[in-house]
Amino acid sequence: MKFYFVTSKGLISKIIRAFEGGRSSHVAIGINNRIYDSTLLHGVKSWSEEEFSAKHTIQDIIELDLSMEDLALCFLLDQVGKSYDWTALIGFLLWRDWTKPDRWYCSELALAVIQNGSSYSLADKHNRVGVRLLHELVNAWRQ
C-alpha cells in the first residue's frame, strides 16, 4: 500500500504546513491504481491516479507492506462516502478520540487503514495525528 504525502497551491495547504512544520499538508492512500483520501469538500473519496496528481504536488510516496492488506482495503472501501472530520480542526488543540469511524481527516483515515491492516499502532493515545507525525511514523515502520 502506498501513502502519498502531498501539497496543493491553496491557502489551507500553506496553513497546515506552517502549523505542523512539515513539507506536506495532505496524505492519501494508493492501492490498485486508485487513490483514496478525505478532503474538506468531498469527505472520503476515490480518485484515479491522474485526477489526484493533477490537483496535488507529490512530496513523498512511501510504500508500506501491511501484513493484512486485504483487511486494510476492506476497511478503506467501507469508509468511502463518509464525511470529513471537521472536529479535527480543533482536535489539534483539544483532547478528542480520532478513531471514531463516522468521519475522517486525511491523516486519521490513513492511520486507521494502517492499523486495520497490520500490527502497527501508536504506543499511546494521541489527539494529534497530523500529516507530519504520520509521515514520521510510516517512514519508521517501513524500515
Side-chain angles (χ1 to χ4, degrees):
M1 195 167 279
K2 294 179 182 177
F3 295 87
Y4 292 75
F5 292 89
V6 301
T7 59
S8 63
K9 295 177 183 173
L11 178 61
I12 293 173
S13 178
K14 292 176 185 175
I15 292 170
I16 291 170
R17 289 192 316 263
F19 180 74
E20 288 195 346
R23 288 181 37 216
S24 303
S25 59
H26 187 68
V27 62
I29 304 124
I31 188 164
N32 298 337
N33 299 316
R34 297 295 297 174
I35 308 286
Y36 300 85
D37 68 352
S38 184
T39 63
L40 288 166
L41 298 177
H42 303 288
V44 181
K45 184 176 176 179
S46 171
W47 307 83
S48 71
E49 290 177 342
E50 295 79 28
E51 289 174 306
F52 186 79
S53 296
K55 294 180 175 238
H56 300 92
T57 301
I58 297 172
Q59 299 295 327
D60 199 6
I61 300 173
I62 300 174
E63 191 157 352
L64 187 62
D65 291 326
L66 301 181
S67 57
M68 299 172 287
E69 191 168 278
D70 290 345
L71 290 176
L73 179 58
C74 286
F75 174 81
L76 179 58
L77 294 175
D78 285 345
Q79 307 316 304
V80 173
K82 292 190 178 177
S83 63
Y84 183 79
D85 186 0
W86 289 92
T87 64
L89 300 175
I90 60 169
F92 284 95
L93 305 173
L94 305 172
W95 187 264
R96 70 177 180 78
D97 183 3
W98 65 268
T99 61
K100 290 183 180 178
D102 57 340
R103 58 186 178 227
W104 298 104
Y105 176 73
C106 66
S107 52
E108 294 172 339
L109 176 64
L111 184 57
V113 167
I114 292 168
Q115 290 182 329
N116 275 275
S118 69
S119 60
Y120 302 120
S121 67
L122 293 176
D124 58 357
K125 194 165 177 87
H126 237 283
N127 70 323
R128 288 182 60 174
V129 184
V131 177
R132 182 174 153 216
L133 172 62
L134 185 64
H135 187 263
E136 291 171 6
L137 290 170
V138 172
N139 246 335
W141 288 335
R142 77 171 170 178
Q143 299 172 11

